[in-house]
Amino acid sequence: MELLQQGAEARLYRTSFCGKPTIVKERFNKAYRHETLDTLLTQRRTNQEVRSLLRCRKAGIACPAVFFIDYEKHRIYLEEIVGAETLRDAFCRLGNGDEAKRLGRMIGRTLASMHDADIIHGDLTTSNMMLRPGNECAGGVSEEGQLFLIDFGLSSVSTVAEDKGVDLYVLERAFLSSHPNSEAVFKEVLSAYRSATKNAKSVVDKLEEVRMRGRKRSMLG
Ligand SMILES: Nc1ncnc2c1ncn2[C@@H]1O[C@H](COP(=O)(O)OP(=O)(O)O)[C@@H](O)[C@H]1O
Ligand SMILES: [Mg+2]
């Protein structure tokens, strides 16, 4: 297996499984955590990741297929999204122009479907979304690419508007700090989310409430 990435919680490898391009996500123990607690946390994250991936696929939201789970080694074998890049890389390449705004609207629509399925991602950042470009068609017209959600280890299931609002707040903070001057792009995320989700008003009201709390906290130092 080829090591792709060594993160804080997991190692990612590229391999093939039944002839298909595969990503193996292996969670490892952390030396500084109590062993039993650590194993429990690792198991819980693996379980949550698999559960939410399946729930997303059932709801028609693009995410990697789960090929195999090795509970002993805390490994998940996932479909590799071939030819895709993280949205983080895409935004770094695109800046804040029209193409970035179009991607922003795609994010908003995808998150609306995810929240309508009562899935809370728990770690929304542009590194946890991948874009597979559409095919170039004849005449230079290209079909729209596809946005995949990944990294569901901190996800949960909830119908509560506040949980969805906090999910958006986490993304807003991550988005604006990773991509300078991207306020207008993030506005597109929210406006597409508002037009696509069932209970937009209560979620966006909660987002506003969480923002206010954040501001008060930072004023208090
Ligand atoms: N199914 C996949 N297909 C292609 N690349 C992937 C896939 N899953 C993860 N990656 C790549 O590995 C990186 C880390 O994966 P992720 O699940 O976010 O782990 P971590 O918990 O370490 O952040 C992603 O940002 C992406 O670049
Ligand atoms: Mg990640």
Side-chain angles (χ1 to χ4, degrees):
M1 295 201 296
E2 172 200 352
L3 180 67
L4 264 192
Q5 189 175 311
Q6 161 93 51
E9 296 269 340
R11 285 183 203 101
L12 284 110
Y13 300 91
R14 178 184 278 132
T15 185
S16 100
F17 185 78
C18 296
K20 293 199 164 75
T22 299
I23 296 287
V24 175
K25 182 165 182 175
E26 177 186 65
R27 290 192 162 79
F28 48 81
N29 285 348
K30 293 195 157 183
Y32 62 83
R33 276 200 306 231
H34 183 278
E35 204 181 313
T36 318
L37 177 67
D38 193 54
T39 306
L40 272 176
L41 279 177
T42 305
Q43 270 166 2
R44 184 184 301 168
R45 295 205 171 138
T46 302
N47 284 336
Q48 264 328 105
E49 178 133 42
V50 172
R51 266 195 208 124
S52 294
L53 284 168
L54 297 183
R55 201 177 166 98
C56 274
R57 288 183 71 87
K58 212 164 154 187
I61 299 153
C63 64
V66 179
F67 291 156
F68 183 73
I69 309 157
D70 182 339
Y71 283 109
E72 297 222 324
K73 293 194 174 123
H74 309 297
R75 285 179 176 173
I76 314 174
Y77 289 62
L78 298 164
E79 167 197 8
E80 178 179 358
I81 313 303
V82 176
E85 63 177 342
T86 65
L87 283 204
R88 186 192 180 97
D89 291 345
F91 282 120
C92 289
R93 192 165 47 75
L94 294 172
N96 298 313
D98 286 346
E99 193 60 13
K101 287 183 179 156
R102 192 180 66 80
L103 268 187
R105 290 192 289 277
M106 239 168 136
I107 297 177
R109 288 195 299 272
T110 304
L111 297 185
S113 316
M114 186 188 78
H115 282 171
D116 284 351
D118 295 326
I119 301 161
I120 312 299
H121 185 283
D123 190 17
L124 285 176
T125 63
T126 51
S127 302
N128 289 336
M129 301 175 189
M130 301 196 78
L131 177 71
R132 186 162 65 190
N135 295 322
E136 285 290 330
C137 303
V141 186
S142 69
E143 70 181 60
E144 201 176 43
Q146 198 174 15
L147 187 103
F148 287 77
L149 297 178
I150 60 165
D151 202 0
F152 282 91
L154 296 176
S155 64
S156 52
V157 172
S158 165
T159 56
V160 179
E162 178 158 10
D163 294 334
K164 299 177 185 178
V166 169
D167 224 18
L168 294 181
Y169 182 68
V170 168
L171 177 64
E172 180 175 56
R173 296 300 299 252
F175 201 97
L176 299 179
S177 69
S178 329
H179 307 292
N181 309 314
S182 61
E183 285 77 6
V185 177
F186 194 75
K187 274 212 175 105
E188 295 292 325
V189 175
L190 287 186
S191 76
Y193 179 89
R194 265 200 210 95
S195 356
T197 183
K198 286 186 291 201
N199 55 353
K201 189 173 173 345
S202 51
V203 176
V204 176
D205 284 353
K206 286 293 172 188
L207 168 64
E208 190 49 41
E209 240 180 84
V210 184
R211 277 180 185 152
M212 298 279 270
R213 265 186 258 150
R215 266 185 227 129
K216 269 192 204 142
R217 247 199 319 271
S218 64
M219 278 194 304
L220 289 171

